[in-house]
Amino acid sequence: MPTIVHFEIPADDIERSKKFYADLFGWKIEKWPGTDSGSSSSSSSDMEYWMITTTDEKGDKALGGGMMKRQGPQQPIINYIDIKSVDEYSSKVQQLGGKVHVPKMAVPGMGYLAVCLDTENNAFGIWETNESAK
């Protein structure tokens, strides 16, 4: 069954947001090396991105996330759900009355994502793991 595998937090001030979540929850937040200069020139990899590591009460690694500079004034926190095919689920979203807000895009070497809106205009992401994504 598809489940949430990643969350994404947009921030106006990355340093302020990193400090807030690290101090509040003890989250470890580190710049993702895939966004350093010299990476491929696609727009998704040009954006600086920070990976968030969370742990449960026993200290075991839990659901991970990411943080990035806010792309628009109403950009919400997004939960990404792991599915087998972004194409298949994008079609299902539309058949069920939802919308594909950000169409399928590659995260090179990792997979594909799309951002959708449900019937109530809530945003959520779908994620397809595929190491050959370009």
Side-chain angles (χ1 to χ4, degrees):
M1 173 180 292
T3 188
I4 296 172
V5 293
H6 186 79
F7 63 90
E8 206 164 64
I9 300 173
D12 294 318
D13 181 325
I14 295 292
E15 292 305 315
R16 179 179 64 205
S17 187
K18 284 172 40 183
K19 181 177 178 1
F20 176 82
Y21 285 105
D23 290 350
L24 182 63
F25 298 127
W27 291 354
K28 182 177 166 187
I29 304 169
E30 299 177 309
K31 188 171 182 185
W32 183 44
T35 61
D36 287 340
S37 59
S39 62
S40 71
S41 62
S42 72
S43 60
S44 64
S45 60
D46 287 343
M47 179 176 44
E48 289 186 322
Y49 199 81
W50 286 262
M51 297 302 291
I52 300 170
T53 303
T54 70
T55 56
D56 65 17
E57 63 279 352
K58 297 175 186 169
D60 295 326
K61 193 171 179 179
L63 182 64
M67 184 178 292
M68 62 188 207
K69 188 82 170 159
R70 187 178 310 278
Q71 303 298 296
Q74 300 301 316
Q75 184 180 4
I77 290 175
I78 301 277
N79 290 310
Y80 285 86
I81 299 155
D82 187 44
I83 45 85
K84 291 189 188 308
S85 166
V86 166
D87 293 329
E88 177 186 340
Y89 275 80
S90 292
S91 182
K92 278 183 164 182
V93 163
Q94 293 170 322
Q95 289 170 7
L96 294 169
K99 297 179 178 113
V100 176
H101 183 64
V102 176
K104 180 180 178 179
M105 63 189 292
V107 179
M110 296 181 74
Y112 298 97
L113 68 86
V115 177
C116 303
L117 298 174
D118 69 11
T119 56
E120 309 311 304
N121 271 338
N122 296 305
F124 65 95
I126 51 179
W127 172 259
E128 172 188 339
T129 300
N130 184 332
E131 293 177 5
S132 64
K134 295 179 187 179

